[in-house]
Amino acid sequence: MICYTGSITQKGESDMIETKNLTKIYGSDENRLRALDGVDLTISRGEFAAIVGPSGCGKSTLLHLLGGIDTPTEGIVVIEGVDLSSLAPDPLTVFRRRHIGFVFQSFNLLPRLNVWENVTLPLGLDGIKADKYEVETMLSTLGIAEKRFALPHQLSGGQQQRVAIARALITKPHVVLADEPTGNLDSKTSLDVVLTLCRLNEELSQTIVMVTHSEELAQMASRRIRMGDGRIVSDSGEASK
Amino acid sequence: MIELFKDTLRRIKDHRTRSVIVCLAVILTAILYSAVFGIASSTLSAYERMMQLLNGSDYHGSIGYAYYKLPCEEVLARLNRMPYVKEADAVTPVGTGMMSTEENDLITTSLRILGFSDSRMMSHFFLNMTEGRFPEKEDEVMLSHSFFPDEIIGSRVTIWLMKKMDSGAESYPREFTVTGFYEAEIGSGASELAAVVNGTSNLSEGMMIYLKFRNRLNTTGKIGKAIDSIRGEISGDVPDAIINTAYLTGNLKERMNPQTVFALLFSVIIIFGAASMLIVGVYSAALSQDIKTQGLLWVLGMTEKQRKRAIWAEAGVLLLFSLPVGLLLGYIIGWQMLVPLMDSIGTDRVTGRFDGWVAVFAAVFTAAAVLVSAVKPLNRIRKLTPIEAVHGEERHENQDRKWIRSRKTPGVEGLVCREIVRNPRAHIIPAVSVSLAALLIALTSSAAAVMRENIASDMRMTDYQLYPAMENSSVMIDSGAGLTEEFCEAVKDLDGVENVWPVRVAVDHIPATAAQKALAAEEIEYWRGAGWDNEYFSVMYRELIAAANGTLTCCVLGIPREFFPALSLKNDNYPTANKIPEGNYVIAAGMWRELEDMTGDYFSDGDTLTIGGRTFSVIASKGWSYDVTRRIALPLYMYASGSQLLILPLDMFETLYPDGYVNTLLVDEPDGGIGLLMDSLAELCTS
């Protein structure tokens, strides 16, 4: 059993995600690229935040840092009171497994596992046997129950993304990070997927952070954070405050 | 655990090509290890067996002749109680005995007779019972048919035994009933043993205790402790500890050739490296394809420990499938094919036995190579962040900065070269694999050549030691007149005989130096004080007196130069014995073992000696004694006086001693079949 030994900051209970002076620099010398430039951000529990902005503005980088799958050059990321930079690799992995769900643009399903197995994989990694009823419910909710034994290549793009969402949610994470979840989907399917995320956000009160190019889809989120040149240029959440 | 096994099976099935290659690597590695360990084990085992035969027993060691205050049984019981002693047995020997039979009053000489404390000792001395039973009473005896071809069970024989008296020792006749016959394993020292009697109380020349330990480690220390435990019961000097040099591990430092150890370790490391590189290569190639999946699993929460476990499980299951196949093939290829190979280079007479540890070592080293190398590629992932892994991107941070600003237009060949030059680390594994494979092939062929040469060389050295054609040397000795030219030619024409080496003999009297005279006088005093100035030692005693008076009586042998390598070239204690210089030289040797030291004192390396007005350099005074004694000197003992042997190259001998006669024939019969040869020789002698 891996235990978290990271420092827990004393914050308000409603703060799910917090970043301070978050900076990410790629390369060095003349190839130096400041992808994120001192981002301070707080996302509350149960919020559905959409991060929008042009290509290369740092929105995906921000999401990766929030999920602990990339390391910041400067600054800290605190999720549920745990400073991710204070965790060793394996405890960080376990933390991610239990508290953060990921949805990728390219679905990233394991091609040799069927739908059921792909969905229950994070549980298996945690040594937990999946509850059949729960999995069935999840698949039904996402409309893919009939495809439970299909392999990824036998599914449409939308169906694959639903499987990816189901996989992200199966561990009941408090935070779901979605990186361009509609990037490979047509507009109708994209709408379906985002509606699904909205519904889950409402029903399960999960905090969702979604990166998207689409202004239209971003409007469906409860909060929109606009980025440019590695900085937050506008934040509807801050404005409403 | 079951889930892990199922997942592993699925992964193996999903990556069939990788799995098959890893299985092949395991099989090849197991074969290689089996072959290397098999060769090593076989060589050591053959060498050990050969040395056991030469040393006359398979006991780990013995405690030299000693007189005990306690009865034999009590001494043995005390030793048998020691925790590391597996077996303690006693032998009472008679150096040179005499024996006559009912039908033949002729006294047969130069016989070795032993009293055994237990019938189990027969096998330890390589004696196989062919007829009858082991003597159970004190007046019973077992004989060797080689010495007594005409005797039958129930015959009465008279053996002259030695009795230690206050004033020395004297011999007395004693009658025994023959209860059985034995034959000695070919080549063993026991071939010189004429008779075995039951018990040790019959014979009174002191008792020698043979010890077999539970293992062969620290033999010297164990024998020392054994001596300590009985020290209080020994009268006179504390006996020597005698180690059976056949057991290499008993005294590794002295016996193990560092070059052999180095070569063996080198082979093991090379195989380990080659096998590991192959497996690392397979897993690395697979990882490049798998890196995205691995990254994804990382993001989804698979820890490094879990990843390692999964890969280990996969490698473990593949091992489980392929290792038995590899070991079986290793046994067949590495061992079954090795035996005929070794036979073909002349070691069929002493073949190593298959050792189960070979399989165990091969399995352990193969498993280690697979498990260690399977996980190695994971380090590549550790250097990535999860997001890089998910995107399947490996950074090339080590790329040389000078290439960054390159403006060359890459062609097809250029692309390949630049890929290698700019990212050399990625090509280390294939490059090292190729190098190791080439090295392994070169090593194998060189090792085979060296082994062939060594074995051939060893066989040249030991051929006579193991298979003295002169086993029943009295057959070959003509006491006075020597062997005729016709006889020598007839022996040469016998079936299977390749070479016949005539040993010419002459007796010479050389003026003793002052030092030699003084030494002889000192020796006389010593032996007289010890009570040995009786008839039994008369030859030697007479010699000493002659030497003290100013004349060394020497038995001079003439041996063809080309025969010297077959005598005894390897003597670690006397390295100069291994060098035969060209020119005028004489080899001085002790006539028999007890006199080796004295001969060594008479003639030292580098001395000059004048024989017949010609000056010779003395070499190898002690190093030659034992083998010369065994093969040539002992038969001469009865005919040629002199406690010293001087051995000259034949050409010199013939110049100095034109009247020297052929006394001994050494017959080179390389294809085995000693028994047939002996029959032919016996027939020839009779005719």
Side-chain angles (χ1 to χ4, degrees), chain B residues 104-119:
Chain B
N104 190 351
D105 266 349
L106 185 70
I107 290 175
T108 311
T109 58
S110 301
L111 298 178
R112 204 152 66 93
I113 302 154
L114 295 179
F116 281 3
S117 62
D118 199 303
S119 60

PDB file of all heavy atoms in Angstrom, chain B residues 104-119:
ATOM      1  N   ASN B 104      53.864 -73.509  -5.463  1.00  0.00           N
ATOM      2  CA  ASN B 104      55.067 -72.854  -5.957  1.00  0.00           C
ATOM      3  C   ASN B 104      55.851 -72.275  -4.794  1.00  0.00           C
ATOM      4  O   ASN B 104      55.400 -71.345  -4.136  1.00  0.00           O
ATOM      5  CB  ASN B 104      54.667 -71.732  -6.932  1.00  0.00           C
ATOM      6  CG  ASN B 104      55.873 -71.193  -7.654  1.00  0.00           C
ATOM      7  OD1 ASN B 104      57.008 -71.541  -7.309  1.00  0.00           O
ATOM      8  ND2 ASN B 104      55.632 -70.359  -8.636  1.00  0.00           N
ATOM      9  N   ASP B 105      56.959 -72.853  -4.560  1.00  0.00           N
ATOM     10  CA  ASP B 105      57.770 -72.391  -3.456  1.00  0.00           C
ATOM     11  C   ASP B 105      58.530 -71.108  -3.768  1.00  0.00           C
ATOM     12  O   ASP B 105      59.086 -70.477  -2.887  1.00  0.00           O
ATOM     13  CB  ASP B 105      58.780 -73.471  -3.055  1.00  0.00           C
ATOM     14  CG  ASP B 105      58.208 -74.316  -1.926  1.00  0.00           C
ATOM     15  OD1 ASP B 105      57.171 -73.888  -1.394  1.00  0.00           O
ATOM     16  OD2 ASP B 105      58.776 -75.369  -1.627  1.00  0.00           O
ATOM     17  N   LEU B 106      58.530 -70.805  -5.066  1.00  0.00           N
ATOM     18  CA  LEU B 106      59.267 -69.631  -5.492  1.00  0.00           C
ATOM     19  C   LEU B 106      58.694 -68.383  -4.808  1.00  0.00           C
ATOM     20  O   LEU B 106      57.505 -68.143  -4.836  1.00  0.00           O
ATOM     21  CB  LEU B 106      59.134 -69.469  -7.010  1.00  0.00           C
ATOM     22  CG  LEU B 106      59.948 -68.351  -7.645  1.00  0.00           C
ATOM     23  CD1 LEU B 106      61.426 -68.696  -7.606  1.00  0.00           C
ATOM     24  CD2 LEU B 106      59.493 -68.147  -9.070  1.00  0.00           C
ATOM     25  N   ILE B 107      59.547 -67.661  -4.205  1.00  0.00           N
ATOM     26  CA  ILE B 107      59.063 -66.475  -3.494  1.00  0.00           C
ATOM     27  C   ILE B 107      58.840 -65.346  -4.492  1.00  0.00           C
ATOM     28  O   ILE B 107      59.704 -65.037  -5.305  1.00  0.00           O
ATOM     29  CB  ILE B 107      60.063 -66.052  -2.415  1.00  0.00           C
ATOM     30  CG1 ILE B 107      60.035 -67.089  -1.291  1.00  0.00           C
ATOM     31  CG2 ILE B 107      59.735 -64.684  -1.862  1.00  0.00           C
ATOM     32  CD1 ILE B 107      61.061 -66.855  -0.226  1.00  0.00           C
ATOM     33  N   THR B 108      57.672 -64.835  -4.460  1.00  0.00           N
ATOM     34  CA  THR B 108      57.356 -63.704  -5.332  1.00  0.00           C
ATOM     35  C   THR B 108      57.627 -62.437  -4.545  1.00  0.00           C
ATOM     36  O   THR B 108      57.250 -62.336  -3.386  1.00  0.00           O
ATOM     37  CB  THR B 108      55.875 -63.748  -5.747  1.00  0.00           C
ATOM     38  OG1 THR B 108      55.610 -65.070  -6.193  1.00  0.00           O
ATOM     39  CG2 THR B 108      55.589 -62.769  -6.848  1.00  0.00           C
ATOM     40  N   THR B 109      58.238 -61.529  -5.171  1.00  0.00           N
ATOM     41  CA  THR B 109      58.663 -60.344  -4.410  1.00  0.00           C
ATOM     42  C   THR B 109      57.912 -59.096  -4.829  1.00  0.00           C
ATOM     43  O   THR B 109      57.079 -59.113  -5.717  1.00  0.00           O
ATOM     44  CB  THR B 109      60.157 -60.104  -4.626  1.00  0.00           C
ATOM     45  OG1 THR B 109      60.359 -59.954  -6.009  1.00  0.00           O
ATOM     46  CG2 THR B 109      60.968 -61.248  -4.093  1.00  0.00           C
ATOM     47  N   SER B 110      58.257 -58.015  -4.193  1.00  0.00           N
ATOM     48  CA  SER B 110      57.703 -56.688  -4.491  1.00  0.00           C
ATOM     49  C   SER B 110      56.193 -56.665  -4.419  1.00  0.00           C
ATOM     50  O   SER B 110      55.527 -56.131  -5.292  1.00  0.00           O
ATOM     51  CB  SER B 110      58.124 -56.220  -5.884  1.00  0.00           C
ATOM     52  OG  SER B 110      59.500 -56.165  -5.954  1.00  0.00           O
ATOM     53  N   LEU B 111      55.649 -57.304  -3.426  1.00  0.00           N
ATOM     54  CA  LEU B 111      54.204 -57.328  -3.306  1.00  0.00           C
ATOM     55  C   LEU B 111      53.736 -56.338  -2.246  1.00  0.00           C
ATOM     56  O   LEU B 111      54.409 -56.136  -1.242  1.00  0.00           O
ATOM     57  CB  LEU B 111      53.724 -58.725  -2.919  1.00  0.00           C
ATOM     58  CG  LEU B 111      54.035 -59.811  -3.933  1.00  0.00           C
ATOM     59  CD1 LEU B 111      53.548 -61.142  -3.414  1.00  0.00           C
ATOM     60  CD2 LEU B 111      53.384 -59.496  -5.263  1.00  0.00           C
ATOM     61  N   ARG B 112      52.607 -55.793  -2.506  1.00  0.00           N
ATOM     62  CA  ARG B 112      52.045 -54.874  -1.524  1.00  0.00           C
ATOM     63  C   ARG B 112      50.843 -55.566  -0.894  1.00  0.00           C
ATOM     64  O   ARG B 112      49.954 -56.055  -1.607  1.00  0.00           O
ATOM     65  CB  ARG B 112      51.605 -53.577  -2.200  1.00  0.00           C
ATOM     66  CG  ARG B 112      51.564 -52.390  -1.266  1.00  0.00           C
ATOM     67  CD  ARG B 112      51.807 -51.102  -2.043  1.00  0.00           C
ATOM     68  NE  ARG B 112      50.716 -50.833  -2.968  1.00  0.00           N
ATOM     69  CZ  ARG B 112      49.667 -50.067  -2.663  1.00  0.00           C
ATOM     70  NH1 ARG B 112      49.572 -49.501  -1.483  1.00  0.00           N
ATOM     71  NH2 ARG B 112      48.713 -49.867  -3.547  1.00  0.00           N
ATOM     72  N   ILE B 113      50.823 -55.609   0.409  1.00  0.00           N
ATOM     73  CA  ILE B 113      49.737 -56.290   1.109  1.00  0.00           C
ATOM     74  C   ILE B 113      49.137 -55.312   2.108  1.00  0.00           C
ATOM     75  O   ILE B 113      49.869 -54.617   2.819  1.00  0.00           O
ATOM     76  CB  ILE B 113      50.280 -57.518   1.859  1.00  0.00           C
ATOM     77  CG1 ILE B 113      50.952 -58.464   0.857  1.00  0.00           C
ATOM     78  CG2 ILE B 113      49.163 -58.235   2.598  1.00  0.00           C
ATOM     79  CD1 ILE B 113      51.998 -59.320   1.497  1.00  0.00           C
ATOM     80  N   LEU B 114      47.836 -55.254   2.125  1.00  0.00           N
ATOM     81  CA  LEU B 114      47.185 -54.311   3.034  1.00  0.00           C
ATOM     82  C   LEU B 114      46.197 -55.039   3.933  1.00  0.00           C
ATOM     83  O   LEU B 114      45.541 -55.987   3.502  1.00  0.00           O
ATOM     84  CB  LEU B 114      46.427 -53.234   2.251  1.00  0.00           C
ATOM     85  CG  LEU B 114      47.250 -52.272   1.400  1.00  0.00           C
ATOM     86  CD1 LEU B 114      46.319 -51.298   0.695  1.00  0.00           C
ATOM     87  CD2 LEU B 114      48.258 -51.511   2.247  1.00  0.00           C
ATOM     88  N   GLY B 115      46.084 -54.556   5.144  1.00  0.00           N
ATOM     89  CA  GLY B 115      45.036 -55.033   6.035  1.00  0.00           C
ATOM     90  C   GLY B 115      43.953 -53.973   6.101  1.00  0.00           C
ATOM     91  O   GLY B 115      44.247 -52.820   6.400  1.00  0.00           O
ATOM     92  N   PHE B 116      42.718 -54.358   5.787  1.00  0.00           N
ATOM     93  CA  PHE B 116      41.609 -53.403   5.776  1.00  0.00           C
ATOM     94  C   PHE B 116      40.776 -53.579   7.040  1.00  0.00           C
ATOM     95  O   PHE B 116      40.508 -54.712   7.456  1.00  0.00           O
ATOM     96  CB  PHE B 116      40.692 -53.658   4.572  1.00  0.00           C
ATOM     97  CG  PHE B 116      41.222 -53.102   3.274  1.00  0.00           C
ATOM     98  CD1 PHE B 116      42.452 -52.476   3.203  1.00  0.00           C
ATOM     99  CD2 PHE B 116      40.462 -53.197   2.111  1.00  0.00           C
ATOM    100  CE1 PHE B 116      42.925 -51.965   2.012  1.00  0.00           C
ATOM    101  CE2 PHE B 116      40.919 -52.692   0.913  1.00  0.00           C
ATOM    102  CZ  PHE B 116      42.164 -52.071   0.859  1.00  0.00           C
ATOM    103  N   SER B 117      40.332 -52.478   7.596  1.00  0.00           N
ATOM    104  CA  SER B 117      39.502 -52.571   8.793  1.00  0.00           C
ATOM    105  C   SER B 117      38.063 -52.921   8.437  1.00  0.00           C
ATOM    106  O   SER B 117      37.275 -53.304   9.288  1.00  0.00           O
ATOM    107  CB  SER B 117      39.537 -51.249   9.554  1.00  0.00           C
ATOM    108  OG  SER B 117      39.002 -50.215   8.760  1.00  0.00           O
ATOM    109  N   ASP B 118      37.699 -52.778   7.176  1.00  0.00           N
ATOM    110  CA  ASP B 118      36.304 -52.966   6.795  1.00  0.00           C
ATOM    111  C   ASP B 118      36.219 -53.343   5.322  1.00  0.00           C
ATOM    112  O   ASP B 118      37.001 -52.832   4.513  1.00  0.00           O
ATOM    113  CB  ASP B 118      35.553 -51.639   7.033  1.00  0.00           C
ATOM    114  CG  ASP B 118      34.061 -51.849   7.107  1.00  0.00           C
ATOM    115  OD1 ASP B 118      33.520 -52.395   6.140  1.00  0.00           O
ATOM    116  OD2 ASP B 118      33.447 -51.466   8.119  1.00  0.00           O
ATOM    117  N   SER B 119      35.263 -54.192   4.980  1.00  0.00           N
ATOM    118  CA  SER B 119      35.136 -54.609   3.574  1.00  0.00           C
ATOM    119  C   SER B 119      34.688 -53.454   2.677  1.00  0.00           C
ATOM    120  O   SER B 119      34.919 -53.464   1.462  1.00  0.00           O
ATOM    121  CB  SER B 119      34.139 -55.766   3.456  1.00  0.00           C
ATOM    122  OG  SER B 119      32.887 -55.345   3.928  1.00  0.00           O
TER     123      SER B 119
END
